[in-house]
Amino acid sequence: KAGVTQTPRYLIKTRGQQVTLSCSPISGHRSVSWYQQTPGQGLQFLFEYFSETQRNKGNFPGRFSGRQFSNSRSEMNVSTLELGDSALYLCASSAASNSYNEQFFGPGTRLTVL
Amino acid sequence: KNQVEQSPQSLIILEGKNCTLQCNYTVSPFSNLRWYKQDTGRGPVSLTIMTFSENTKSNGRYTATLDADTKQSSLHITASQLSDSASYICVVSGQAGTALIFGKGTTLSVSS
């Protein structure tokens, strides 16, 4: 079974721009979660989608948004980029939206904002 | 406030030695606790997951323990190898419907 894939792997943007990141979960998985990872803050939860519905949301500003498609693929959008948005963005998929279900992480998208 | 604290922040050990990483949490109610290994430049990979009723769980040379009364967990690595060099992240899940809470991780360096 193919793992979680994320595209692009690396991205460089300038302040004020917007960016869209993509995540394809493991086949059959319906839950996709997004995380931001920075050296100072560690992993922080952004949001979770299950069957195209946002199930949970972390404490991030409205500039961070996401969606999930009927094939479970998910996209994350960040508008009006700030320098502090530079981070590794990870997505994780699981079979169901249940805290005991194991999450499988993708390799991440490294976003650099200049 | 629900928090997960890990110690030490970083650790250097010689190949072949054992080590123990600590995780203390204040998440309540508690559902389960996971340990992840994250190699540099890669996504985290699950090592173990334990519910409140489990005290110990092993995965090869990795053994996790959980004391739900004191809200402490440890990850013991036996006979360390160079490939164990990574960040180890403790993650706690609260009640159903709430987000996972991540510790900031312990960076382990195994040298020859």
Side-chain angles (χ1 to χ4, degrees):
Chain A
K1 229 181 212 184
V4 178
T5 58
Q6 292 186 244
T7 56
R9 291 294 312 277
Y10 303 91
L11 206 48
I12 299 175
K13 293 284 188 179
T14 56
R15 279 182 300 174
Q17 288 187 307
Q18 74 161 16
V19 67
T20 299
L21 312 181
S22 181
C23 172
S24 292
I26 291 172
S27 178
H29 284 190
R30 296 167 64 189
S31 173
V32 174
S33 297
W34 286 90
Y35 299 89
Q36 180 194 67
Q37 186 175 34
T38 58
Q41 296 298 319
L43 270 156
Q44 291 183 287
F45 172 73
L46 280 157
F47 28 66
E48 179 200 4
Y49 286 88
F50 180 79
S51 293
E52 302 178 65
T53 301
Q54 188 179 87
R55 285 292 183 93
N56 219 336
K57 191 176 190 303
N59 293 322
F60 278 82
R63 300 186 296 108
F64 292 81
S65 63
R67 60 178 175 168
Q68 186 180 34
F69 302 96
S70 58
N71 62 0
S72 294
R73 189 176 71 84
S74 178
E75 286 183 348
M76 189 193 109
N77 185 275
V78 188
S79 62
T80 320
L81 284 166
E82 300 176 359
L83 295 179
D85 297 333
S86 294
L88 179 68
Y89 290 88
L90 292 159
C91 96
S93 78
S94 60
S97 181
N98 177 312
S99 68
Y100 194 81
N101 270 264
E102 184 174 358
Q103 287 194 323
F104 295 85
F105 283 82
T109 293
R110 173 74 63 184
L111 172 64
T112 301
V113 182
L114 303 175
Chain B
K1 184 182 175 183
N2 289 329
Q3 287 185 310
V4 176
E5 301 284 344
Q6 291 188 244
S7 62
Q9 189 174 0
S10 62
L11 184 60
I12 301 173
I13 61 172
L14 288 175
E15 187 179 14
K17 297 296 186 183
N18 304 336
C19 69
T20 300
L21 314 181
Q22 299 291 341
C23 173
N24 295 337
Y25 60 94
T26 59
V27 179
S28 182
F30 166 82
S31 176
N32 58 73
L33 184 146
R34 311 154 189 241
W35 283 94
Y36 282 92
K37 177 188 178 189
Q38 185 176 21
D39 293 315
T40 302
R42 311 188 95 168
V45 173
S46 179
L47 293 174
T48 64
I49 178 169
M50 291 182 290
T51 65
F52 64 90
S53 61
E54 296 174 289
N55 300 121
T56 304
K57 187 162 277 191
S58 292
N59 179 356
R61 294 179 298 101
Y62 301 100
T63 299
T65 63
L66 173 65
D67 185 335
D69 291 332
T70 61
K71 294 184 166 56
Q72 295 180 322
S73 176
S74 65
L75 180 69
H76 187 74
I77 304 174
T78 304
S80 61
Q81 300 176 357
L82 297 178
S83 59
D84 292 331
S85 295
S87 178
Y88 292 85
I89 304 170
C90 174
V91 186
V92 177
S93 175
Q95 60 189 358
T98 60
L100 300 177
I101 301 170
F102 290 76
K104 294 188 178 180
T106 292
T107 300
L108 174 65
S109 298
V110 181
S111 60
S112 57

